[in-house]
Amino acid sequence: SSFEALATRAKKWGHKAIAITDHGVVQGFPDAMEIGKKLDLKIIYGVEGYLINDNKPIITNYEDDEEYNTYVVFDIETTGLSPTNDRITEIGAVKIRDGIVIDEFNQLINPGLPIPDKIVNLTGITDEMVSDKPKIEEVLPEFDNFIKGSVLVAHNATFDIGFIRENYIKIGKTIDNPVLDTLELTRALFPHLKRHKLDIIAKHLNVDLTNHHRAVDDAKATGEIFIKCMNMLEENNINSFNGINRLAENKDLSKERPFHIIILAKNQKGLKNLYKLVSQSHLNYFYRRPRIPKSLLSKYREGLIIGSACEAGELYNAILQNKDFNEIKNIVTFYDYLEIQPIGNNMHLVRTGLVKNEYE
């Protein structure tokens, strides 16, 4: 549709204003300005940007003044990607104190539903293998006891913690441990690597990963990776969690996943700041698409209205991944308004199994 056709229809329906937000660019502004004058319609100038979170911490949920010396490196296998609709089929973990593995946890779990073929092919875990195993509500109290007083460590921790948190809720518990993500840690320590998947990091650090996609084997490999990384940090006199989080500044931002975001200019100052963001996103942060770091948006935020965008936005993603309530609260406070789209726009989430139905 041409902008003129859309603006004419909006005017006919009695709208006094219309916003224009192309993806990453502002080339439509001159046409919009002319059409606004012609129709006596107020134009709200904006952009649907690609936001990257360049402030993402490596370790979350810790106390500055507390001493931590015990870590539980864990991994889970599941029936799919949704923490609310899919189930855990295996938990594997190793406990590390002062750089030495002191204990191990390994349990297959009956998910109470058939394991999809593609997951069987990936993990090797079949319905027969779990048919006589305990359900998650029987396993979690034992796992909770195993992780008590420890820092939780996982590779792409958002995924694993999302599932654990959802299942804790079902047994009336909360998960309050500090969480260290080795994906973010290795991105900061090895920015020269193109990708930071577990098997690539294992190969880079000469760590054996024979049974990839089995929880206990992945946990053992991640444990070895973690120990080697912590030794590297110690050699460089980085001994505090705050110090580790400062390493995030070294990360190659091209590896960060971009989220959609709506940015609207409310005055001339905002329009100028919008142009600065668009320019910098193309000149300094372009990787496949023009990306806007969150820190840059904060710097040029004056005169702008920030919206959370569609299901590809940061907030919607955090809720789908079942992130911690405080983390979601922090995301919410960043935005001026939260966007709710027509259900039809998000029906692909039902088709891909991330949500069950329209109500969800």
Side-chain angles (χ1 to χ4, degrees), residues 237-261:
N237 294 317
I238 300 167
N239 301 310
S240 71
F241 284 1
N242 287 339
I244 292 171
N245 272 341
R246 279 194 290 274
L247 288 172
E249 296 163 11
N250 303 337
K251 281 191 297 186
D252 177 356
L253 294 182
S254 70
K255 305 294 188 297
E256 290 300 317
R257 176 188 177 182
F259 298 105
H260 291 189
I261 186 170

Side-chain angles (χ1 to χ4, degrees), residues 14-283:
H15 288 281
K16 293 182 172 64
I18 188 168
I20 177 167
T21 55
D22 284 341
H23 260 297
V25 295
V26 292
Q27 282 104 319
F29 285 12
D31 275 352
M33 185 184 72
E34 295 300 330
I35 291 156
K37 284 177 187 170
K38 180 176 153 187
L39 297 175
D40 188 29
L41 190 68
K42 180 180 179 178
I43 306 297
I44 300 167
Y45 297 98
V47 70
E48 182 158 8
Y50 298 99
L51 181 79
I52 50 169
N53 186 359
D54 55 336
N55 302 320
K56 200 193 299 181
I58 294 165
I59 310 173
T60 55
N61 206 34
Y62 63 92
E63 300 293 333
D64 283 346
D65 51 359
E66 200 161 320
E67 286 285 323
Y68 299 98
N69 70 340
T70 308
Y71 299 84
V72 169
V73 185
F74 81 104
D75 185 64
I76 61 169
E77 301 303 335
T78 66
T79 60
L81 299 174
S82 168
T84 47
N85 296 324
D86 289 304
R87 301 288 178 265
I88 297 173
T89 56
E90 187 177 31
I91 300 178
V94 290
K95 187 178 284 188
I96 295 168
R97 186 173 294 144
D98 300 323
I100 296 161
V101 176
I102 58 166
D103 205 354
E104 196 177 294
F105 183 96
N106 186 20
Q107 181 63 59
L108 280 166
I109 295 156
N110 184 343
L113 49 82
I115 302 170
D117 290 343
K118 62 179 181 183
I119 301 294
V120 174
N121 294 335
L122 182 71
T123 64
I125 300 171
T126 63
D127 292 333
E128 292 72 33
M129 286 168 67
V130 295
S131 60
D132 61 342
K133 299 301 182 223
K135 296 279 180 66
I136 188 69
E137 50 270 24
E138 300 168 61
V139 174
L140 277 187
E142 196 184 335
F143 182 66
D144 184 57
N145 199 41
F146 186 79
I147 67 172
K148 203 169 259 96
S150 304
V151 177
L152 293 178
V153 180
H155 202 73
N156 189 18
T158 297
F159 177 82
D160 303 84
I161 291 290
F163 269 87
I164 297 291
R165 183 176 289 115
E166 178 65 22
N167 285 282
Y168 262 53
I169 289 165
K170 289 173 185 171
I171 62 164
K173 284 181 172 285
T174 55
I175 191 155
D176 302 315
N177 306 56
V179 176
L180 186 151
D181 191 342
T182 51
L183 174 63
E184 296 303 328
L185 179 61
T186 54
R187 278 177 174 171
L189 286 176
F190 315 117
H192 58 284
L193 293 179
K194 284 187 176 174
R195 293 194 297 165
H196 295 80
K197 287 167 67 179
L198 188 61
D199 52 345
I200 291 167
I201 298 297
K203 189 178 176 184
H204 178 69
L205 292 174
N206 201 23
V207 168
D208 182 38
L209 182 57
T210 351
N211 250 344
H212 193 20
H213 296 301
R214 283 302 302 270
V216 74
D217 297 293
D218 283 358
K220 283 177 180 173
T222 308
E224 275 191 65
I225 288 166
F226 171 69
I227 290 168
K228 288 192 175 193
C229 289
M230 293 305 270
N231 288 340
M232 285 173 66
L233 293 173
E234 206 170 305
E235 284 164 21
N236 287 286
N237 294 317
I238 300 167
N239 301 310
S240 71
F241 284 1
N242 287 339
I244 292 171
N245 272 341
R246 279 194 290 274
L247 288 172
E249 296 163 11
N250 303 337
K251 281 191 297 186
D252 177 356
L253 294 182
S254 70
K255 305 294 188 297
E256 290 300 317
R257 176 188 177 182
F259 298 105
H260 291 189
I261 186 170
I262 301 292
I263 307 171
L264 304 173
K266 59 182 175 184
N267 51 34
Q268 284 298 123
K269 177 72 176 174
L271 193 61
K272 188 171 183 179
N273 279 336
L274 181 64
Y275 288 157
K276 287 178 181 178
L277 289 168
V278 169
S279 297
Q280 290 214 31
S281 70
H282 282 79
L283 295 171

